[in-house]
Each structure stands twice: as structure tokens, then as C-alpha cells.
Amino acid sequence: MKSHVRKASPLHAILLALVAVATGLSGCSADCGWGCKVQAFVDGNANGKWDDGEQPLVGAKFRAVDFQGRNQDGTQTSDSNGTASISFFIACNQTNEFSVSAQPPDGYSLTTPERVLVGSESGKTITFGFIRTK
């Protein structure tokens, strides 16, 4: 019976070696980062959901904290699309739970919870609603 195992090409072997060297030099693997996308919107009907026609909100502030309450990436502010990104490094092979909290810009209050438990999974999108106060 013939074996169907193919040898790696020289180029493939070089690429694998470079990945191994880069990982060894950094002391970390790609798993050493955590991040999420945060969105802010003007919740015109105060239902806590981003409905059609509701606009993004500039100037909302967000921060991520770990389960011990340590701030992880400072405070990030939503841009003209109502979006902010939070990302930071964590110790390799460490599982940690994170929460993201929102602070409204002047003249607004939240229509969604102020703090969302995100867990340890990276890459999520968290959305916060805000309504203009009188």
C-alpha cells in the first residue's frame, strides 16, 4: 500500500521555521491579546436596542476591567461612527474574565446597562444605548 504523505516544499519549511522563531522570540503566542469593539448610539425610543434610523454617538467613553477591577486599556472614546476599540495584552496561557463599562458624554444617560460582563472570549462587539437628557 502506498503512502499519500507529501513532503513539505522548501518554501513551506522555511515559513514554518520563521513562525516558530518569531513565536519563540516574542515569548508569547497569538493568544496573548484580548480585544473588543464597542459601539454607542442615540437610543431615541429608549428601548435599549439600536433601531433603524438611530444615529451613532460621538464621545461616549468605555473601559475594560478584569475580574479584580484593574483597568486594562485606559479609557477609549467613541468616534464619529459611534465606535471605539479596546485591545491589550494579557499574560500568556492566562484565562481572565473582563467587563466593559460605558460613561455617557455630557447631556446623555444610558438606556442599556452601564457594565457588560464580556468573559474571556476576544473579538466581541458590545453596544451601548444613550438618550439625551433634558
Side-chain angles (χ1 to χ4, degrees), residues 107-125:
Y108 288 87
S109 62
L110 282 154
T111 62
T112 55
E114 176 184 351
R115 185 176 146 227
V116 175
L117 180 61
V118 183
S120 60
E121 182 183 341
S122 187
K124 294 181 178 180
T125 298

PDB file of all heavy atoms in Angstrom, residues 107-125:
ATOM      1  N   GLY A 107     -24.785  65.470  28.824  1.00  0.00           N
ATOM      2  CA  GLY A 107     -26.102  65.642  28.224  1.00  0.00           C
ATOM      3  C   GLY A 107     -26.780  64.345  27.837  1.00  0.00           C
ATOM      4  O   GLY A 107     -27.859  64.361  27.245  1.00  0.00           O
ATOM      5  N   TYR A 108     -26.184  63.196  28.173  1.00  0.00           N
ATOM      6  CA  TYR A 108     -26.763  61.899  27.834  1.00  0.00           C
ATOM      7  C   TYR A 108     -26.765  60.991  29.058  1.00  0.00           C
ATOM      8  O   TYR A 108     -25.949  61.150  29.976  1.00  0.00           O
ATOM      9  CB  TYR A 108     -25.964  61.213  26.727  1.00  0.00           C
ATOM     10  CG  TYR A 108     -26.145  61.849  25.379  1.00  0.00           C
ATOM     11  CD1 TYR A 108     -25.351  62.910  24.985  1.00  0.00           C
ATOM     12  CD2 TYR A 108     -27.121  61.391  24.493  1.00  0.00           C
ATOM     13  CE1 TYR A 108     -25.513  63.505  23.748  1.00  0.00           C
ATOM     14  CE2 TYR A 108     -27.292  61.981  23.254  1.00  0.00           C
ATOM     15  CZ  TYR A 108     -26.488  63.035  22.897  1.00  0.00           C
ATOM     16  OH  TYR A 108     -26.660  63.626  21.669  1.00  0.00           O
ATOM     17  N   SER A 109     -27.664  60.018  29.045  1.00  0.00           N
ATOM     18  CA  SER A 109     -27.666  58.956  30.048  1.00  0.00           C
ATOM     19  C   SER A 109     -27.861  57.625  29.325  1.00  0.00           C
ATOM     20  O   SER A 109     -28.314  57.576  28.175  1.00  0.00           O
ATOM     21  CB  SER A 109     -28.753  59.179  31.098  1.00  0.00           C
ATOM     22  OG  SER A 109     -30.026  59.163  30.496  1.00  0.00           O
ATOM     23  N   LEU A 110     -27.510  56.560  29.996  1.00  0.00           N
ATOM     24  CA  LEU A 110     -27.583  55.218  29.398  1.00  0.00           C
ATOM     25  C   LEU A 110     -29.004  54.676  29.356  1.00  0.00           C
ATOM     26  O   LEU A 110     -29.801  54.908  30.271  1.00  0.00           O
ATOM     27  CB  LEU A 110     -26.707  54.246  30.189  1.00  0.00           C
ATOM     28  CG  LEU A 110     -25.224  54.333  29.911  1.00  0.00           C
ATOM     29  CD1 LEU A 110     -24.410  53.851  31.096  1.00  0.00           C
ATOM     30  CD2 LEU A 110     -24.894  53.520  28.670  1.00  0.00           C
ATOM     31  N   THR A 111     -29.325  53.929  28.307  1.00  0.00           N
ATOM     32  CA  THR A 111     -30.588  53.178  28.221  1.00  0.00           C
ATOM     33  C   THR A 111     -30.318  51.681  28.296  1.00  0.00           C
ATOM     34  O   THR A 111     -31.241  50.885  28.253  1.00  0.00           O
ATOM     35  CB  THR A 111     -31.341  53.485  26.908  1.00  0.00           C
ATOM     36  OG1 THR A 111     -30.526  53.079  25.797  1.00  0.00           O
ATOM     37  CG2 THR A 111     -31.690  54.957  26.799  1.00  0.00           C
ATOM     38  N   THR A 112     -29.052  51.317  28.338  1.00  0.00           N
ATOM     39  CA  THR A 112     -28.623  49.927  28.467  1.00  0.00           C
ATOM     40  C   THR A 112     -27.829  49.834  29.770  1.00  0.00           C
ATOM     41  O   THR A 112     -27.460  50.865  30.345  1.00  0.00           O
ATOM     42  CB  THR A 112     -27.742  49.507  27.267  1.00  0.00           C
ATOM     43  OG1 THR A 112     -26.651  50.431  27.150  1.00  0.00           O
ATOM     44  CG2 THR A 112     -28.540  49.493  25.972  1.00  0.00           C
ATOM     45  N   PRO A 113     -27.538  48.624  30.253  1.00  0.00           N
ATOM     46  CA  PRO A 113     -26.727  48.530  31.473  1.00  0.00           C
ATOM     47  C   PRO A 113     -25.388  49.264  31.310  1.00  0.00           C
ATOM     48  O   PRO A 113     -24.814  49.308  30.223  1.00  0.00           O
ATOM     49  CB  PRO A 113     -26.501  47.022  31.644  1.00  0.00           C
ATOM     50  CG  PRO A 113     -27.667  46.394  30.936  1.00  0.00           C
ATOM     51  CD  PRO A 113     -27.957  47.313  29.775  1.00  0.00           C
ATOM     52  N   GLU A 114     -24.901  49.831  32.411  1.00  0.00           N
ATOM     53  CA  GLU A 114     -23.639  50.575  32.395  1.00  0.00           C
ATOM     54  C   GLU A 114     -22.444  49.650  32.207  1.00  0.00           C
ATOM     55  O   GLU A 114     -21.432  50.046  31.658  1.00  0.00           O
ATOM     56  CB  GLU A 114     -23.477  51.322  33.716  1.00  0.00           C
ATOM     57  CG  GLU A 114     -22.177  52.059  33.860  1.00  0.00           C
ATOM     58  CD  GLU A 114     -22.021  52.700  35.227  1.00  0.00           C
ATOM     59  OE1 GLU A 114     -22.992  52.717  36.007  1.00  0.00           O
ATOM     60  OE2 GLU A 114     -20.920  53.170  35.509  1.00  0.00           O
ATOM     61  N   ARG A 115     -22.581  48.392  32.632  1.00  0.00           N
ATOM     62  CA  ARG A 115     -21.466  47.440  32.592  1.00  0.00           C
ATOM     63  C   ARG A 115     -21.954  46.116  32.006  1.00  0.00           C
ATOM     64  O   ARG A 115     -23.014  45.633  32.360  1.00  0.00           O
ATOM     65  CB  ARG A 115     -20.958  47.223  34.014  1.00  0.00           C
ATOM     66  CG  ARG A 115     -19.754  46.373  34.106  1.00  0.00           C
ATOM     67  CD  ARG A 115     -19.264  46.307  35.546  1.00  0.00           C
ATOM     68  NE  ARG A 115     -18.709  44.993  35.735  1.00  0.00           N
ATOM     69  CZ  ARG A 115     -18.949  44.200  36.738  1.00  0.00           C
ATOM     70  NH1 ARG A 115     -19.741  44.576  37.714  1.00  0.00           N
ATOM     71  NH2 ARG A 115     -18.399  43.024  36.805  1.00  0.00           N
ATOM     72  N   VAL A 116     -21.140  45.552  31.100  1.00  0.00           N
ATOM     73  CA  VAL A 116     -21.469  44.274  30.469  1.00  0.00           C
ATOM     74  C   VAL A 116     -20.339  43.297  30.752  1.00  0.00           C
ATOM     75  O   VAL A 116     -19.168  43.589  30.464  1.00  0.00           O
ATOM     76  CB  VAL A 116     -21.650  44.440  28.939  1.00  0.00           C
ATOM     77  CG1 VAL A 116     -21.871  43.105  28.264  1.00  0.00           C
ATOM     78  CG2 VAL A 116     -22.791  45.392  28.638  1.00  0.00           C
ATOM     79  N   LEU A 117     -20.671  42.138  31.311  1.00  0.00           N
ATOM     80  CA  LEU A 117     -19.680  41.085  31.507  1.00  0.00           C
ATOM     81  C   LEU A 117     -19.438  40.441  30.147  1.00  0.00           C
ATOM     82  O   LEU A 117     -20.350  39.921  29.516  1.00  0.00           O
ATOM     83  CB  LEU A 117     -20.173  40.043  32.507  1.00  0.00           C
ATOM     84  CG  LEU A 117     -19.216  38.897  32.778  1.00  0.00           C
ATOM     85  CD1 LEU A 117     -17.906  39.391  33.367  1.00  0.00           C
ATOM     86  CD2 LEU A 117     -19.857  37.891  33.715  1.00  0.00           C
ATOM     87  N   VAL A 118     -18.201  40.509  29.677  1.00  0.00           N
ATOM     88  CA  VAL A 118     -17.855  40.031  28.342  1.00  0.00           C
ATOM     89  C   VAL A 118     -17.265  38.626  28.396  1.00  0.00           C
ATOM     90  O   VAL A 118     -17.360  37.876  27.445  1.00  0.00           O
ATOM     91  CB  VAL A 118     -16.866  41.000  27.655  1.00  0.00           C
ATOM     92  CG1 VAL A 118     -16.562  40.560  26.248  1.00  0.00           C
ATOM     93  CG2 VAL A 118     -17.410  42.409  27.665  1.00  0.00           C
ATOM     94  N   GLY A 119     -16.642  38.268  29.500  1.00  0.00           N
ATOM     95  CA  GLY A 119     -15.996  36.963  29.615  1.00  0.00           C
ATOM     96  C   GLY A 119     -14.572  37.025  29.130  1.00  0.00           C
ATOM     97  O   GLY A 119     -13.943  38.089  29.111  1.00  0.00           O
ATOM     98  N   SER A 120     -14.062  35.896  28.702  1.00  0.00           N
ATOM     99  CA  SER A 120     -12.656  35.835  28.281  1.00  0.00           C
ATOM    100  C   SER A 120     -12.497  35.803  26.763  1.00  0.00           C
ATOM    101  O   SER A 120     -11.405  35.983  26.255  1.00  0.00           O
ATOM    102  CB  SER A 120     -11.982  34.608  28.892  1.00  0.00           C
ATOM    103  OG  SER A 120     -12.640  33.434  28.462  1.00  0.00           O
ATOM    104  N   GLU A 121     -13.583  35.600  26.038  1.00  0.00           N
ATOM    105  CA  GLU A 121     -13.514  35.498  24.577  1.00  0.00           C
ATOM    106  C   GLU A 121     -13.286  36.859  23.937  1.00  0.00           C
ATOM    107  O   GLU A 121     -13.993  37.819  24.214  1.00  0.00           O
ATOM    108  CB  GLU A 121     -14.811  34.894  24.038  1.00  0.00           C
ATOM    109  CG  GLU A 121     -14.810  34.706  22.546  1.00  0.00           C
ATOM    110  CD  GLU A 121     -16.138  34.174  22.031  1.00  0.00           C
ATOM    111  OE1 GLU A 121     -16.918  33.627  22.809  1.00  0.00           O
ATOM    112  OE2 GLU A 121     -16.379  34.329  20.828  1.00  0.00           O
ATOM    113  N   SER A 122     -12.284  36.933  23.098  1.00  0.00           N
ATOM    114  CA  SER A 122     -11.933  38.170  22.410  1.00  0.00           C
ATOM    115  C   SER A 122     -12.753  38.323  21.129  1.00  0.00           C
ATOM    116  O   SER A 122     -13.296  37.354  20.609  1.00  0.00           O
ATOM    117  CB  SER A 122     -10.441  38.130  22.070  1.00  0.00           C
ATOM    118  OG  SER A 122     -10.000  39.346  21.558  1.00  0.00           O
ATOM    119  N   GLY A 123     -12.844  39.551  20.632  1.00  0.00           N
ATOM    120  CA  GLY A 123     -13.453  39.796  19.322  1.00  0.00           C
ATOM    121  C   GLY A 123     -14.937  40.098  19.335  1.00  0.00           C
ATOM    122  O   GLY A 123     -15.548  40.239  18.285  1.00  0.00           O
ATOM    123  N   LYS A 124     -15.540  40.227  20.490  1.00  0.00           N
ATOM    124  CA  LYS A 124     -16.969  40.514  20.566  1.00  0.00           C
ATOM    125  C   LYS A 124     -17.248  41.982  20.262  1.00  0.00           C
ATOM    126  O   LYS A 124     -16.353  42.822  20.321  1.00  0.00           O
ATOM    127  CB  LYS A 124     -17.499  40.191  21.961  1.00  0.00           C
ATOM    128  CG  LYS A 124     -17.460  38.724  22.301  1.00  0.00           C
ATOM    129  CD  LYS A 124     -18.027  38.477  23.670  1.00  0.00           C
ATOM    130  CE  LYS A 124     -18.023  36.990  23.983  1.00  0.00           C
ATOM    131  NZ  LYS A 124     -18.581  36.731  25.318  1.00  0.00           N
ATOM    132  N   THR A 125     -18.502  42.286  19.957  1.00  0.00           N
ATOM    133  CA  THR A 125     -18.963  43.659  19.803  1.00  0.00           C
ATOM    134  C   THR A 125     -19.999  43.921  20.882  1.00  0.00           C
ATOM    135  O   THR A 125     -20.952  43.161  21.028  1.00  0.00           O
ATOM    136  CB  THR A 125     -19.586  43.892  18.418  1.00  0.00           C
ATOM    137  OG1 THR A 125     -18.585  43.655  17.416  1.00  0.00           O
ATOM    138  CG2 THR A 125     -20.108  45.304  18.273  1.00  0.00           C
TER     139      THR A 125
END
